[in-house]
């Protein structure tokens, strides 16, 4: 239905420019004339009416402009402030945190939030929404994850389906009143209480009034249940729910006029801190305890925030967030459809030919269990990079010559492994279909562990890997890169590391020979930002040992979690907070849980600068 699509897209947060003015509320009047033709216009009209009447502009942000929309924004280079050897010459007393972007909920966050609002028994959209665009390795980056016509349509469809299912399950399960109460007062209470949780803060009168008007009109036209369903639809596609926004209008108004200045650091209110905490650690809305602390304004106290962060990390919901971080950081979505051809003549333990595609799900599960294990049991960078534990089922155990106690995944110690870099799943992921991939493996170490990205190859350079040949090892075949001057300048950084992982083939199996030729696993780390680890090394174990003790790796992991947790890249104003976060991470010997506590209690997490739209 064209009206339905146009209405929803025009009123979707991604299509609304910064600061709708009251005069634009005339569009609402035009839409009201269509109310008998299409119920979606009613819902869309309420969204715009509430937005236009909402004096603090919550949810109405410019999500169509790119990074240049924020004046003075610094480049989000992956290397910003990561190098621990770089001296800090900035006066931190004069710095304020980087900009607080309005962040559209990701698919995972939307699904989790809807489950919290409506109950786990409802079927949520899951992966029916289009995938997020990646920036700096993560899909929740505010500069990349934007609304589109397709996403707006899917949000509408999801709101319709979820609202209909919730009402069909029973209106009394939704309403906060006595069973059978169908009064306007009950609906008004529902709007206030449901909106409080959906918007993650108290609902203003300017927001609740159009919703009540919608219910009154729809109740007269279609009856109570349909009217409540339309109100619920409106909530589920409102910008206040779909976006995490952090207006400072109230705080700015409370600041004496002579003292206001652009860039001034002001604290987030307690509801905003609660929301930041819950989406950082759980990827969902705040729970009852966080809401209660926000109501009492207790989250202005940093020690209360610290205690809540530790409480939340003990909750099983934190495991889902850790899984999501590693899923993106490792690029684990690439396991879907992965093709790996076993070497010629390779056989399984039962004597049958190996089928590389049969291991995709097992590789992904094994890798996922390993990173969860090293986060929660090992708990630090050293464990991530040094653990010899591998999780195998009967299928993987046979492939790698290990013993498994059953069909399910069990931890096994394997002396040929050295942390994340030698995990079978990652080695299979960082490979070509028919051979290992020293360039990809070196790139992973440079970018994901050292935060030292290299520029892409020139457009006229052929990046096709050389074909396998029985008379040469992978290292010998890739030697052409060092012979080509245009390639050598970058490939010495990549292959210098990647060759050190040549002990693992495209199936992640440990090897000492390739086509009967001895594998040379010597390598070299160059210009890593940490002079103590630069230089030649021999094999994966030595490489892992160096990286495990490197301050550069700790600093890079802190930066990776910062990008994921803040939904943006580093900015100049973040320098002092980032340095503090990295210092606390180092003081705890690279403890990942304490890294997240340090992020949650940092100034960059609890403050934001005053900007033009806040005045």
């Amino acid at each position: 239905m064209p009206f339905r699509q146009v209405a929803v897209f025009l009123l979707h947060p991604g299509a609304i420019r910064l600061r709708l003015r009251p005069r634009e509320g005339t569009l609402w009047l035009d839409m009201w004339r269509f109310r008998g033709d299409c119920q979606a216009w009613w819902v869309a009209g309420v969204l715009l009416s509430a937005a236009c009447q909402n004096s603090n502009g919550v949810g109405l942000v410019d999500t169509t402009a790119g990074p240049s929309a924020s004046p003075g924004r610094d480049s989000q280079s992956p290397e910003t402030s990561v190098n621990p050897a770089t001296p800090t010459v900035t006066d931190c007393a004069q710095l304020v945190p980087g900009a607080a972007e309005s962040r559209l909920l990701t698919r995972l966050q939307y699904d989790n939030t809807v489950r919290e609002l409506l109950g786990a028994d409802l079927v949520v959209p899951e992966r029916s929404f289009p995938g997020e665009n990646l920036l700096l390795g993560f899909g929740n980056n505010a500069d990349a994850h934007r609304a589109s016509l397709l996403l707006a349509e899917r949000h509408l469809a999801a709101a319709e389906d979820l609202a209909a299912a919730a009402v069909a399950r029973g209106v009394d399960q939704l309403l906060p009143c006595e069973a059978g109460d169908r009064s306007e007062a009950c609906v008004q209470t529902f709007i206030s209480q449901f909106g409080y949780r959906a918007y993650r803060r108290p609902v203003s009168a300017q927001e609740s009034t159009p919703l009540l008007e919608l219910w009154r009109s729809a109740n007269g036209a279609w009856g109570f249940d349909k009217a409540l369903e339309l109100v619920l639809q409106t909530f589920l596609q409102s910008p206040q729910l779909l976006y995490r926004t952090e207006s400072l209008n109230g705080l700015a108004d409370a600041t004496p006029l002579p003292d206001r200045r652009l860039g001034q650091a002001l604290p987030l209110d307690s509801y905003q801190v609660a929301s930041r905490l819950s989406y950082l650690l759980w990827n969902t809305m705040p729970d009852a305890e966080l809401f209660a602390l926000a109501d009492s304004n207790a989250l202005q106290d940093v020690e209360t925030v610290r205690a809540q962060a530790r409480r939340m990390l003990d909750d099983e919901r934190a495991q889902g967030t850790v899984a999501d971080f590693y899923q993106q950081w490792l690029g684990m979505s690439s396991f879907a459809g992965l093709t790996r051809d076993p070497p010629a003549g390779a056989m399984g333990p039962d004597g049958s030919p190996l089928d590389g595609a049969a291991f995709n799900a097992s590789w992904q599960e094994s890798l996922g269990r390993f990173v969860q294990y090293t986060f929660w049991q090992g708990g630090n960078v050293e464990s991530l990079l040094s653990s010899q534990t591998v999780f195998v089922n009967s299928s993987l155990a046979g492939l790698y010559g290990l013993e498994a106690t059953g069909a399910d995944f069990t931890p096994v110690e394997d002396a040929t492994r050295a942390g994340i870099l030698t995990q079978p799943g990652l080695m299979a992921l960082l490979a070509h279909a028919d051979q290992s991939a020293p360039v990809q493996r070196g790139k992973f170490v440079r970018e994901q562990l050292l935060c030292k990205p290299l520029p892409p190859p020139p457009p006229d350079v052929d990046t096709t890997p050389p074909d396998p040949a029985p008379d040469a090892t992978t290292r010998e075949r890739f030697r052409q890169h060092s012979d080509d001057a245009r390639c050598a300048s970058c490939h010495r950084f990549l292959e210098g590391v990647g060759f050190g992982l040549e002990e693992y083939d495209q199936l992640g199996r440990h090897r000492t020979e390739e086509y009967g030729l001895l594998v040379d696993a010597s390598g070299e780390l160059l210009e890593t930002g940490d002079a103590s680890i630069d230089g030649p090394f021999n094999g994966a174990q030595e490489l892992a040992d160096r990286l495990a003790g490197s301050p550069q790796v700790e600093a890079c992991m802190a930066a990776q979690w910062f990008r994921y947790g803040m939904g943006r890249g580093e900015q100049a104003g973040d320098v002092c907070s980032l340095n503090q976060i990295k210092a606390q991470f180092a003081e705890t010997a690279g403890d990942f849980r304490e890294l997240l506590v340090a992020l949650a209690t940092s100034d960059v997490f609890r403050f934001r600068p005053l900007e033009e739209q806040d005045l």
Side-chain angles (χ1 to χ4, degrees):
M1 182 184 300
F3 277 150
R4 176 174 178 269
Q5 294 176 356
V6 173
V8 172
F9 184 61
L10 282 176
L11 296 168
H12 193 278
I16 299 176
R17 301 296 294 184
L18 181 67
R19 290 285 184 184
L20 286 177
R21 303 302 179 189
R23 66 176 180 275
E24 290 165 320
T26 57
L27 181 57
W28 153 252
L29 298 177
D30 292 333
M31 289 178 179
W32 188 258
R33 299 189 186 105
F34 290 102
R35 66 189 186 278
D37 300 326
C38 181
Q39 294 171 9
W41 278 93
W42 281 36
V43 175
V46 172
L47 288 173
L48 182 57
S49 178
C52 290
Q53 296 181 50
N54 187 6
S55 61
N56 67 10
V58 171
L60 302 183
V61 294
D62 183 357
T63 62
T64 60
S68 60
S70 299
R73 285 278 304 278
D74 294 273
S75 170
Q76 294 188 20
S77 165
E79 280 194 74
T80 303
S81 305
V82 170
N83 190 342
T86 301
T88 302
V89 295
T90 311
D91 180 5
C92 288
Q94 302 302 315
L95 281 185
V96 297
E101 304 286 352
S102 177
R103 282 147 290 177
L104 177 63
L105 297 185
T106 65
R107 292 171 295 173
L108 175 64
Q109 291 168 347
Y110 180 92
D111 293 348
N112 289 344
T113 301
V114 166
R115 285 192 180 96
E116 295 284 350
L117 286 170
L118 299 177
D121 58 320
L122 287 184
V123 177
V124 295
E126 293 292 348
R127 299 303 181 190
S128 66
F129 294 165
E132 293 87 9
N133 298 315
L134 298 180
L135 183 60
L136 296 179
F138 298 106
N140 63 351
N141 190 296
D143 284 329
H145 180 39
R146 302 296 182 92
S148 64
L149 177 58
L150 176 60
L151 182 58
E153 290 174 343
R154 296 292 172 83
H155 277 153
L156 169 60
E160 290 175 337
D161 293 343
L162 289 166
V167 170
R169 184 180 56 188
V171 170
D172 286 328
Q173 294 188 45
L174 286 172
L175 296 176
C177 314
E178 294 287 339
D181 188 343
R182 300 295 184 267
S183 65
E184 180 173 313
C186 180
V187 173
Q188 195 162 13
T189 302
F190 167 76
I191 290 172
S192 175
Q193 294 187 5
F194 187 87
Y196 171 80
R197 298 178 68 236
Y199 294 173
R200 303 174 285 274
R201 56 168 174 76
V203 179
S204 69
Q206 293 91 339
E207 292 167 320
S208 63
T209 298
L211 289 163
L212 188 59
E213 290 293 334
L214 168 66
W215 175 83
R216 286 172 181 160
S217 300
N219 185 46
W222 296 299
F224 187 92
D225 286 10
K226 190 63 180 180
L228 189 65
E229 181 182 326
L230 289 175
V231 170
L232 195 53
Q233 278 187 38
T234 307
F235 271 124
L236 292 175
Q237 55 186 309
S238 64
Q240 293 93 327
L241 184 148
L242 296 176
Y243 277 80
R244 294 166 51 209
T245 57
E246 294 158 347
S247 171
L248 290 181
N249 282 101
L251 290 171
D253 292 341
T255 304
L257 187 61
D259 294 336
R260 294 188 198 174
R261 65 182 186 280
L262 292 179
Q264 177 183 1
L266 293 175
L268 298 173
D269 69 37
S270 285
Y271 294 104
Q272 293 163 349
V273 174
S275 186
R276 279 201 177 188
L277 271 173
S278 64
Y279 283 97
L280 167 67
L281 300 174
W282 290 346
N283 268 319
T284 191
M285 57 182 281
D287 66 352
E289 184 166 337
L290 280 175
F291 273 128
L293 290 169
D295 288 341
S296 65
N297 206 31
L299 292 176
Q300 294 299 301
D301 174 52
V302 67
E303 292 307 318
T304 302
V305 174
R306 192 186 315 278
Q308 284 300 302
R310 292 197 168 118
R311 173 186 74 88
M312 296 170 72
L313 284 167
D314 288 335
D315 189 288
E316 64 179 10
R317 283 171 286 190
Q319 296 178 24
T321 295
V322 171
D324 185 56
F325 169 83
Y326 280 115
Q327 176 84 13
Q328 297 182 63
W329 182 65
L330 296 171
M332 291 170 66
S333 60
S334 297
F335 278 114
L338 192 71
T339 301
R340 293 293 177 262
D341 298 328
M347 296 293 199
D350 60 356
S352 62
L354 287 175
D355 177 10
F359 299 106
N360 289 356
S362 295
W363 279 329
Q364 183 168 2
E365 181 68 19
S366 172
L367 186 56
R369 292 198 180 208
F370 174 80
V371 292
Q372 287 279 4
Y373 171 78
T374 55
F375 187 98
W376 299 107
Q377 274 72 45
N380 56 27
V381 173
E382 182 178 4
S383 175
L384 178 69
L385 290 166
S386 301
S387 173
Q388 294 186 327
T389 301
V390 180
F391 286 81
V392 295
N393 56 7
S394 57
S395 175
L396 290 182
L399 179 63
Y400 300 119
L402 302 171
E403 292 186 7
T405 57
D408 196 13
F409 286 84
T410 55
V412 176
E413 293 301 299
D414 183 353
T416 68
R417 306 290 167 178
I420 186 71
L421 287 179
T422 61
Q423 282 295 300
L426 186 62
M427 288 294 91
L429 195 62
L430 300 176
H432 299 297
D434 55 359
Q435 60 185 310
S436 60
V439 174
Q440 291 183 25
R441 293 172 178 181
K443 184 174 184 287
F444 176 85
V445 173
R446 296 281 308 182
E447 294 188 353
Q448 303 303 99
L449 290 171
L450 295 169
C451 291
K452 290 290 183 181
L454 294 171
D460 59 339
V461 171
D462 182 7
T463 58
T464 305
D467 291 330
D471 59 347
T473 64
T474 299
R475 187 186 194 107
E476 292 167 341
R477 293 193 307 275
F478 275 72
R479 188 175 296 158
Q480 67 187 51
H481 293 147
S482 59
D483 295 336
D484 187 332
R486 293 185 304 166
C487 302
S489 60
C490 286
H491 276 270
R492 68 191 186 98
F493 294 106
L494 299 172
E495 290 165 351
V497 179
F499 285 146
L501 297 170
E502 272 300 288
E503 296 167 296
Y504 304 91
D505 69 6
Q506 68 268 30
L507 300 181
R509 299 182 303 177
H510 183 263
R511 65 185 180 183
T512 57
E513 293 184 351
E514 183 180 10
Y515 300 116
L517 303 172
L518 287 177
V519 168
D520 180 1
S522 61
E524 186 174 13
L525 286 164
L526 298 169
E527 299 179 25
T528 62
D530 179 0
S532 69
I533 66 171
D534 284 347
F537 66 89
N538 187 27
Q541 183 68 62
E542 190 173 334
L543 172 62
D545 288 344
R546 287 204 199 173
L547 295 174
S550 171
Q552 179 68 20
V553 173
E554 281 188 356
C556 183
M557 289 303 300
Q560 301 286 9
W561 268 106
F562 177 93
R563 296 166 189 167
Y564 176 84
M566 296 299 295
R568 61 173 176 81
E570 307 94 305
Q571 299 169 15
D574 302 323
V575 168
C576 295
S577 286
L578 266 171
N579 287 345
Q580 184 180 29
I581 292 168
K582 293 170 190 173
Q584 293 179 24
F585 190 36
E587 289 169 3
T588 60
D591 187 304
F592 287 118
R593 291 166 62 101
E594 290 305 310
L595 168 62
L596 294 183
V597 172
L599 174 57
T601 54
S602 65
D603 287 346
V604 70
F605 191 84
R606 299 181 302 112
F607 290 77
R608 57 156 288 188
L610 190 67
E611 298 179 325
E612 285 189 18
Q613 62 264 33
D614 299 314
L615 299 175

